[in-house]
Amino acid sequence: MTDCIFCKLANGEIPTNIVYEDEVVTAFLDTSQVTEGHTLIVPKKHLKDIYDYDIKDSGAIFRRIPIVVQALQAALPDMQGVNILNNNGEVAYQSVFHSHIHLIPRYSRDGDDFKVVMPDNGDQYTDEDLAKLAQRIHEKVEV
């Protein structure tokens, strides 16, 4: 895709702070630096979002996550954890429509300034509701 900023970054057309690169992905520091070391893993192949992935794409791309996370951990000795985030679609706050994975190192100093909050809506579903939902999804699984 000729006008995609992440295609240009991942393929070296625009300079960036690369931390890892191979034939499948480019990983570079996010300019927003939510926390020190915030890195994006970007496929070189233009994939809009997770819905564009096939099994081969996902295996190739997600296999690179531990490589980069382990490098972050080695380079940032006070890193105590990591959030791995992948937003898909506007409603999920995807802002660049080229798939990318955020690796956000976490530190005790982060405090409450940054946290991922997921509400617990478990009380809205009975065991029967969950069984029906699981079955509905299971029926749509294609391998």
Side-chain angles (χ1 to χ4, degrees):
M1 177 169 272
T2 58
D3 62 341
C4 174
I5 186 85
F6 276 11
C7 283
K8 291 176 181 178
L9 288 163
N11 291 299
E13 295 173 42
I14 297 174
T16 190
N17 294 297
I18 296 172
V19 301
Y20 174 82
E21 182 174 25
D22 63 20
E23 69 282 358
V24 177
V25 302
T26 302
F28 53 86
L29 295 177
D30 189 311
T31 57
S32 73
Q33 287 297 287
V34 170
T35 64
E36 181 184 28
H38 177 183
T39 299
L40 300 178
I41 297 179
V42 178
K44 290 187 173 186
K45 173 182 176 183
H46 184 81
L47 298 163
K48 179 181 173 190
D49 52 33
I50 198 75
Y51 305 109
D52 279 353
Y53 283 45
D54 61 23
I55 289 175
K56 184 178 175 187
D57 293 327
S58 61
I61 295 162
F62 282 83
R63 188 177 13 236
R64 271 77 178 169
I65 293 173
I67 295 168
V68 180
V69 167
Q70 290 165 9
L72 287 169
Q73 189 175 40
L76 303 166
D78 56 338
M79 181 177 124
Q80 297 169 306
V82 63
N83 288 111
I84 301 172
L85 302 172
N86 176 243
N87 304 328
N88 297 279
E90 259 183 80
V91 72
Y93 301 103
Q94 182 179 5
S95 58
V96 177
F97 293 92
H98 179 121
S99 184
H100 56 286
I101 300 163
H102 293 263
L103 304 178
I104 303 174
R106 300 309 306 269
Y107 307 92
S108 59
R109 66 180 181 261
D110 294 343
D112 289 335
D113 290 341
F114 175 79
K115 57 182 160 183
V116 177
V117 179
M118 291 184 267
D120 181 349
N121 295 314
D123 60 349
Q124 296 179 30
Y125 300 90
T126 66
D127 289 342
E128 184 179 327
D129 293 334
L130 292 175
K132 286 179 183 176
L133 178 58
Q135 182 60 37
R136 201 167 82 225
I137 296 167
H138 177 76
E139 290 170 0
K140 300 297 182 183
V141 172
E142 295 179 21
V143 180

